[in-house]
Amino acid sequence: MGGFAGYPRTMARDLVLVGSGHSHAQVLESLALEPIPGFRATVIVDSPIAIYSGMVPGFVAGQYRVDELEIDIPALAERAGARVVVARATRIDPSHRQIVVANETPVPFDLASANIGSTVAGLDLPGIRDFALPTRPIANLVHLLQQRITELEKGDDRSTYRVVVVGGGAGGVELAFTLQARLSRETDRPLLVQLVHSGKRLMTGYPSGLARRIYRNAARRGIRIEPERRVVGADEGIVRFQTGGPLAFDTLLWVVGAASYSLFRDSGLPTDSSGFVRTRSTLQVEGEDDLFAVGDCATLDEFPETPKAGVYAVRQGPVLMRNLRARAAGNALESYRPQSDFLTLLNLGDGNALGAKWGRSFEGRWVMWLKDRIDRSFMRRFQVSVR
Ligand SMILES: Cc1cc2nc3c(=O)[nH]c(=O)nc-3n(C[C@H](O)[C@H](O)[C@H](O)COP(=O)(O)OP(=O)(O)OC[C@H]3O[C@@H](n4cnc5c(N)ncnc54)[C@H](O)[C@@H]3O)c2cc1C
């Protein structure tokens, strides 16, 4: 079984948390209540502030202030008695039991976990990095969108402001609706919001009733939706597609699927074909008993189709915590099984939201009330300081 139960009590072992996603926030919360005996914790983060993506559309709509989406990792770590290293982890080296970080000395570990999230696919297409606003890193998106909205509110140009949102998943839909709601409320400029995606229909994998509600609500608000529009590249103000003519834009939002950071491939760890690290149902990395990985950055060998969505990272948090404790004590680990269905809630930006669960869909102000309640109560657990 292994573990650390046999180590002398006087020798502190190192638990290192790489990244500060939804699962690690819960680990820090738990460590604050009950440290792991004999272990000192370190958290390595590329930014001291983590952003809760579930509330980003609400921020775009003007419903939340930026500080309401932020988790202050050093404050959370302090409560947990954990050291914070603010640096990008560039390699995990299990054979030397260390995490290599940019511009800092490597951080040794006895037990480690990665929860670094994902980046956006397609950034290497010509012009996308230069002319599109990608949704990752999400902190940059929040900052850049705020800048655009402020410029637009102040400007005196009266021509139509054109927004093109690329991506037919939940993020693309929410950002198209919430940006439309915000801009139509706060500027007098005529507005054209277009949501384009490469599939035949929006939100594949979700109930068809939800897609119908999206089309109906989009038509009501003048949001144009175009399917089967695969982007091949962008120039300043113009985005081009495999089929159909180009579209002109003032803001191009890039909300296509998740892609892995290169960290795991660079570390020589086992990955799936997309570079996400492969994990067992215990959340341990394949072949590495003292290294765990959770959230978007990992693919479960037994459930490779699990969507890259925050809800899974949230549910993995308590299992990860129990398994870290079990591994530290030399006890048996439990298995995580992803839920087959989850409650989807899409903020439309005007006080209404759409939802789906168990094959059914619904909408209304009560759905937005529910989403707000769930998101705020999740965030309340981690907002330990008001800056
Ligand atoms: C606009 C938008 C809305 C969304 N809404 C929802 C929603 O309502 N519900 C839902 O389930 N999903 C939603 N998603 C998807 C969701 O954002 C991701 O699935 C989720 O954030 C993944 O969580 P995570 O815990 O794996 O990592 P993240 O929340 O991405 O956290 C990873 C953290 O690690 C840090 N990090 C990254 N690399 C390194 C490194 N090398 N070294 C150190 N630190 C690092 C990052 O800065 C970040 O703070 C949305 C996505 C977008 C873009």
Side-chain angles (χ1 to χ4, degrees):
M1 189 177 292
F4 300 89
Y7 278 98
R9 282 186 160 271
T10 47
M11 273 176 68
R13 307 275 111 194
D14 284 299
L15 165 66
V16 179
L17 305 175
V18 185
S20 51
H22 299 64
S23 315
H24 282 179
Q26 294 177 78
V27 170
L28 289 173
E29 183 194 35
S30 170
L31 290 176
L33 297 173
E34 188 188 351
I36 301 180
F39 276 76
R40 61 183 166 218
T42 300
V43 55
I44 302 174
V45 284
D46 59 354
S47 156
I49 299 295
I51 301 275
Y52 175 49
S53 58
M55 286 167 80
V56 168
F59 162 78
V60 170
Q63 295 159 340
Y64 304 121
R65 296 182 315 271
V66 71
D67 60 284
E68 290 178 291
L69 342 170
E70 293 180 342
I71 302 176
D72 182 339
I73 297 298
L76 201 56
E78 189 183 327
R79 216 176 44 159
R83 178 170 78 106
V84 182
V85 175
V86 180
R88 170 163 285 272
T90 54
R91 208 155 45 81
I92 296 174
D93 181 354
S95 55
H96 294 97
R97 297 193 155 246
Q98 62 180 16
I99 312 292
V100 180
V101 291
N103 308 320
E104 295 274 345
T105 44
V107 180
F109 72 84
D110 295 286
L111 200 53
S113 170
N115 181 202
I116 62 168
S118 56
T119 178
V120 203
L123 291 179
D124 291 333
L125 286 171
I128 297 304
R129 262 182 226 281
D130 296 330
F131 301 112
L133 297 186
T135 45
R136 297 287 170 173
I138 209 151
N140 287 9
L141 173 76
V142 165
H143 176 70
L144 290 169
L145 273 177
Q146 184 56 55
Q147 237 175 20
R148 296 266 168 120
I149 292 168
T150 311
E151 276 164 23
L152 201 58
E153 285 164 357
K154 284 191 187 145
D156 48 15
D157 189 342
R158 298 266 68 83
S159 63
T160 299
Y161 192 79
R162 297 148 308 177
V163 177
V164 176
V165 179
V166 183
V173 169
E174 279 193 294
L175 288 177
F177 275 87
T178 49
L179 202 51
Q180 193 273 345
R182 174 79 175 271
L183 296 180
S184 55
R185 202 175 58 235
E186 295 194 13
T187 80
D188 299 332
R189 275 178 80 169
L191 191 63
L192 175 59
V193 177
Q194 297 173 92
L195 175 61
V196 297
H197 62 100
S198 58
K200 281 197 189 313
R201 85 161 176 83
L202 283 172
M203 305 280 299
T204 38
Y206 291 84
S208 53
L210 181 66
R212 280 197 296 278
R213 288 182 192 276
I214 295 168
Y215 292 118
R216 228 176 12 243
N217 278 282
R220 232 177 260 152
R221 292 160 176 81
I223 298 172
R224 285 193 204 156
I225 301 178
E226 294 189 27
E228 299 185 80
R229 297 280 265 155
R230 183 171 291 281
V231 170
V232 292
D235 289 315
E236 188 158 12
I238 291 282
V239 53
R240 295 180 212 290
F241 302 89
Q242 212 166 46
T243 49
L247 292 177
F249 66 83
D250 297 288
T251 285
L252 177 63
L253 262 174
W254 193 249
V255 206
V256 304
S260 178
Y261 289 111
S262 63
L263 175 78
F264 302 109
R265 275 194 175 136
D266 295 348
S267 305
L269 289 166
T271 60
D272 68 7
S273 58
S274 307
F276 294 107
V277 70
R278 287 175 40 213
T279 52
R280 293 172 264 166
S281 60
T282 52
L283 307 176
Q284 286 161 300
V285 169
E286 276 298 341
E288 299 295 341
D289 287 346
D290 295 323
L291 179 61
F292 292 72
V294 284
D296 277 15
C297 72
T299 293
L300 286 156
D301 270 350
E302 269 185 72
F303 303 97
E305 303 303 326
T306 307
K308 302 292 180 197
V311 289
Y312 293 98
V314 170
R315 293 286 181 91
Q316 286 170 358
V319 181
L320 172 68
M321 190 63 242
R322 288 194 291 273
N323 280 353
L324 288 171
R325 289 187 191 282
R327 180 74 194 148
N331 296 333
L333 272 57
E334 69 180 86
S335 286
Y336 163 80
R337 201 186 164 81
Q339 69 266 38
S340 53
D341 190 25
F342 62 90
L343 175 66
T344 303
L345 297 169
L346 304 176
N347 185 348
L348 297 184
D350 60 354
N352 289 284
L354 307 181
K357 174 96 181 162
W358 294 312
R360 305 181 72 111
S361 63
F362 34 86
E363 67 182 277
R365 296 190 87 78
W366 70 270
V367 184
M368 187 59 222
W369 175 85
L370 180 67
K371 176 166 172 51
D372 177 68
R373 215 181 132 97
I374 293 172
D375 285 340
R376 281 186 193 273
S377 62
F378 179 71
M379 282 300 278
R380 249 195 306 275
R381 293 166 52 190
F382 310 114
Q383 291 194 311
V384 293
S385 80
V386 179
R387 286 171 307 118

